[in-house]
Amino acid sequence: MTAELVRGQNHPLSEDRLEIRVSAGTPVVAGATLSDEHGTVHGVEWVAHPGAPTLPGLEVSRQAAADHRLAVDLDALPDAVHRVHVLLALPVGVGGPLSFGAVAAPFVAVTGLDGTEVASYTITGLDAESAVVALDLYRRQGAWKVRAVGQGYAGGLAELLTDQGLQQARQLATSINDAVASGLARSVAAPPPRTQDGDRTRQTAAPAFGPDQTGSPYGTSPGTPAPRPGYTGHTSSDDTSSVGQPSAPTGGPVDYSHPRRQNGAPPPPPPTAPPATPGRPAQPVAGDATGWSMEERLYNQVWGMFEDLARTTASYRSAVDFAESRMEKELDQVLSDPRSRIGGQGDAAREAARARHDQLVDQAKQVLDRDVAQLVAESEVVEPALPAMYARWDNPVWHAYRVPMEMPMAMRLGDLHLPESGPMRVPLLLRLPLERGIWVDSGRAASLDDTFTDSHDMRRLAMETAVAHAARLLAVHPAGEFTVHVIDPAGSGAQALAPLVQTGVLATPPAIGAAGVADTLSRLTQRVDLVQMAIRGGASDALPPGFDTAQQLLVVNDFPHGFDDRAVTQLRYLADEGPAVGVHLMMVADREDAAAYGPLLDPLWRSLLRLTPVPDDHLADPWVGHAWTYEPPLVPPGSQVLQQVLTQVAAARRAWHG
């Protein structure tokens, strides 16, 4: 039975390996500090936080999220540690709430590996505090207990860490806030919550472990929510996402009511996979997910594959970390005993420790290989079935391309994979309409395969990547609903821009020189001002006659070349205010070229989704925070698909304008 604690109450802990689950309703930072019997934290190496998430016996989330899972192995903690303090804090400088009084009361629970709650605590009574010590796990007379604390600090993490005796408290708080802001900037936004349709459910093979075992020694990856029903990498009972992922229905009839189709018929059921042969997984089918259309079902299926791969990899990595930690502890125990340090007894103990380590790792690898093989089989079925907006440029679906009649849910920005995923590639689908700008980084010269690309080639590849993204955005929007502008101050991107210029899909020729930069930025900032005034005044139907109501995309090459201080200010304004009124930014730039502006442009870079023209492991998933390798969606060499698609777009635009 779960003990529902109130502030100051404690409860004994009967297990050594635990999870601490956090549900806050808004993104928070979750961390932990280790202290001695007096509650003193002796250094930054005793603090687990997103910038340094792993300590012996403790692992926390790598990014801010609404839901967290912290893994604790009390038996693996150093002997000098007598207390584990679980901390929550609101992210700083990311536009979120400033105090816990403005959000729902956070809920924390201590659970076993099977998900059974041992104790829970709802942190009430917070007001101006922006950081709080939620729980303490403490050792007394050889036994561990949990205490509900709920001590808040209006001064944030810096005040909290100072109160725990950490001398470098302010410096560490600053580094934690920087790590969180960086993590949020590189995180791929998860799909919006869908409360009625739920998540996809798939027929899958039975788990390789028993009901009390998982591929991870902690059950699920630290900092990750529970998996969806049907997922085989973990076993758990709930399904919540770090950024508000939907929960699948747990039983009873499905409610097909839809916020925009209250009187509509229920959506058609997804395709049913062929029955599984006993002992073998069911055969995957394309569209095996919930949704109102095949497009939506495929979108949800791709995101389900993305989540599955993130979770099974997290489980494997957590298992390997645990195996290594346990082996190190067992070897330390052998070395600490003079009687077994040398001789046959010591050698046998060391061999036994290594054998147990290898057994755990092999077991976890078998589960990973099984899950990846299942995902690869699903990908081989799903990839050929994707519509043009989700497909690679080499997919034959583009040969039958027609300008769409309505904007799709999303479009493909490239592919993602992990080192453990082998041939598995997950499409990176970006939700439409755009919610943030894109930055194609032309400054990284070294790729993951140790090849070196000189700066000239990087700039060329970056511009070609931007053109491919812009062309896809034009291709997935109906005629007259998406307009592209280009700023190319020095004309260095003329060759890459040729497909856009020659087919006539641009609103105006690329702007060159300082005068062209100033004119284009002035027109777009005036547009943002005008639309904002119309919306705030409740007169959105009173825009001037002939006003272009299409979404606008500004592609900027070679920033900051040709930009004066006023132009830089206007660019920042477009990045901040433009997306809300349909004006979007795509930067092709090397951040080092703008180093003279110092921290002035840091908010600009953080507001943009950074992509690269060569494979690079800079993107994070919204569940675990893995560093995923991103591969850009380049057009195959010699292919005419881009010109053919843009030619159709241009013809549809001319017909639409009459």
Side-chain angles (χ1 to χ4, degrees):
M1 182 175 178
T2 304
E4 298 181 1
L5 306 180
V6 297
R7 182 173 298 180
Q9 187 178 0
N10 60 42
H11 186 76
L13 298 174
S14 58
E15 301 180 40
D16 290 331
R17 290 164 57 195
L18 304 164
E19 281 186 349
I20 299 173
R21 304 186 183 187
V22 178
S23 180
T26 189
V28 297
V29 182
T33 57
L34 307 179
S35 66
D36 60 18
E37 63 271 22
H38 304 295
T40 301
V41 179
H42 287 278
V44 295
E45 66 277 6
W46 282 38
V47 183
H49 57 84
T54 304
L55 295 178
L58 178 65
E59 189 168 359
V60 304
S61 305
R62 290 164 170 78
Q63 60 188 33
D67 300 277
H68 294 272
R69 292 194 176 193
L70 284 63
V72 181
D73 186 349
L74 299 174
D75 190 48
L77 293 172
D79 293 337
V81 172
H82 287 256
R83 298 183 187 178
V84 179
H85 311 273
V86 179
L87 322 175
L88 303 178
L90 293 170
V92 176
V94 297
L98 301 178
S99 67
F100 279 108
V103 300
F107 173 82
V108 291
V110 180
T111 75
L113 296 187
D114 59 357
T116 303
E117 285 191 5
V118 178
S120 65
Y121 173 42
T122 301
I123 311 173
T124 58
L126 298 178
D127 186 12
E129 296 88 346
S130 59
V132 60
V133 178
L135 298 174
D136 277 357
L137 310 182
Y138 63 98
R139 178 165 49 191
R140 179 160 300 170
Q141 297 179 347
W144 284 91
K145 295 183 178 182
V146 57
R147 176 188 291 119
V149 180
Q151 175 64 53
Y153 296 84
L157 276 174
E159 183 181 355
L160 185 156
L161 295 171
T162 299
D163 191 45
Q164 293 189 352
L166 184 63
Q167 296 181 355
Q168 309 95 322
R170 295 198 175 276
Q171 298 91 318
L172 180 58
T174 299
S175 67
I176 292 174
N177 291 329
D178 290 344
V180 170
S182 176
L184 290 175
R186 72 188 185 93
S187 179
V188 178
R194 299 185 306 119
T195 57
Q196 299 296 337
D197 288 352
D199 211 341
R200 70 172 188 159
T201 57
R202 306 186 291 161
Q203 299 182 35
T204 53
F209 295 106
D212 60 344
Q213 295 175 297
T214 62
S216 165
Y218 299 118
T220 57
S221 171
T224 64
R228 298 178 320 286
Y231 173 59
T232 62
H234 308 279
T235 56
S236 187
S237 58
D238 62 348
D239 186 17
T240 57
S241 167
S242 61
V243 285
Q245 282 294 102
S247 297
T250 56
V254 177
D255 181 2
Y256 286 111
S257 61
H258 191 282
R260 289 187 294 275
R261 305 189 188 200
Q262 296 296 339
N263 299 320
T272 302
T277 303
R280 298 180 59 187
Q283 297 300 309
V285 295
D288 186 12
T290 57
W292 289 90
S293 64
M294 178 58 78
E295 175 194 339
E296 185 178 4
R297 292 199 292 266
L298 287 169
Y299 173 82
N300 292 330
Q301 187 171 16
V302 167
W303 268 91
M305 292 161 59
F306 187 11
E307 183 179 2
D308 283 354
L309 185 56
R311 293 189 186 284
T312 192
T313 304
S315 179
Y316 170 72
R317 292 180 179 179
S318 185
V320 171
D321 290 343
F322 173 77
E324 292 177 351
S325 174
R326 193 177 77 169
M327 183 179 69
E328 290 176 0
K329 182 176 181 180
E330 291 174 349
L331 292 177
D332 288 343
Q333 291 174 346
V334 172
L335 293 174
S336 64
D337 187 352
R339 295 171 299 179
S340 61
R341 191 175 301 166
I342 58 176
Q345 184 179 356
D347 292 340
R350 283 188 285 270
E351 288 300 324
R354 294 189 180 96
R356 284 189 290 271
H357 167 273
D358 293 343
Q359 182 181 9
L360 278 175
V361 172
D362 290 344
Q363 185 180 14
K365 187 65 165 61
Q366 291 174 10
V367 175
L368 174 69
D369 291 344
R370 180 203 65 194
D371 289 349
V372 170
Q374 184 175 340
L375 288 170
V376 169
E378 185 174 12
S379 177
E380 291 173 348
V381 172
V382 170
E383 190 71 47
L386 295 177
M389 68 285 290
Y390 299 167
R392 296 190 183 99
W393 285 113
D394 59 358
N395 192 312
V397 71
W398 284 106
H399 296 304
Y401 168 78
R402 295 293 183 269
V403 177
M405 299 299 293
E406 60 182 16
M407 182 181 68
M409 293 181 59
M411 58 168 267
R412 189 172 189 151
L413 278 183
D415 293 332
L416 298 172
H417 67 91
L418 293 169
E420 295 90 346
S421 64
M424 178 67 187
R425 297 294 186 271
V426 178
L428 173 57
L429 301 183
L430 180 69
R431 189 78 180 212
L432 296 177
L434 298 174
E435 296 180 354
R436 61 191 293 198
I438 294 173
W439 165 30
V440 182
D441 190 353
S442 61
R444 295 286 298 273
S447 63
L448 293 177
D449 58 2
D450 295 328
T451 60
F452 184 82
T453 307
D454 64 37
S455 59
H456 175 75
D457 287 341
M458 281 294 293
R459 294 177 189 273
R460 174 183 57 80
L461 289 171
M463 197 58 196
E464 290 176 355
T465 301
V467 168
H469 290 318
R472 187 179 289 258
L473 281 165
L474 283 165
V476 302
H477 282 82
E481 293 191 13
F482 199 82
T483 302
V484 177
H485 310 265
V486 175
I487 289 178
D488 187 21
S492 59
Q495 182 178 355
L497 288 168
L500 299 178
V501 175
Q502 292 173 0
T503 54
V505 295
L506 296 180
T508 58
I512 60 174
V517 171
D519 178 66
T520 303
L521 291 175
S522 178
R523 284 189 286 108
L524 290 175
T525 52
Q526 289 175 7
R527 175 190 175 87
V528 171
D529 291 339
L530 184 61
V531 176
Q532 284 184 335
M533 287 189 293
I535 293 174
R536 290 168 183 167
S540 55
D541 56 347
L543 293 168
F547 185 85
D548 183 8
T549 59
Q551 299 274 315
Q552 309 287 311
L553 175 69
L554 174 61
V555 180
V556 179
N557 186 34
D558 268 355
F559 176 80
H561 183 80
F563 282 71
D564 56 19
D565 290 346
R566 184 171 184 271
V568 170
T569 301
Q570 289 176 318
L571 191 70
R572 288 186 57 191
Y573 177 73
L574 290 178
D576 292 339
E577 304 294 335
V581 293
V583 178
H584 311 286
L585 188 62
M586 184 181 294
M587 299 270 291
V588 181
D590 179 358
R591 188 169 181 172
E592 291 299 318
D593 291 344
Y597 289 95
L600 177 67
L601 292 182
D602 285 352
L604 171 65
W605 303 117
R606 284 199 295 264
S607 70
L608 304 174
L609 175 62
R610 176 175 171 260
L611 303 176
T612 53
V614 295
D616 188 73
D617 57 347
H618 66 283
L619 290 178
D621 64 80
W623 305 283
V624 185
H626 291 316
W628 292 73
T629 297
Y630 166 77
E631 295 178 348
L634 298 179
V635 179
S639 173
Q640 297 299 310
V641 64
L642 203 63
Q643 287 78 1
Q644 294 169 2
V645 169
L646 291 177
T647 298
Q648 291 196 42
V649 171
R653 283 172 57 89
R654 289 192 296 268
W656 185 83
H657 287 294

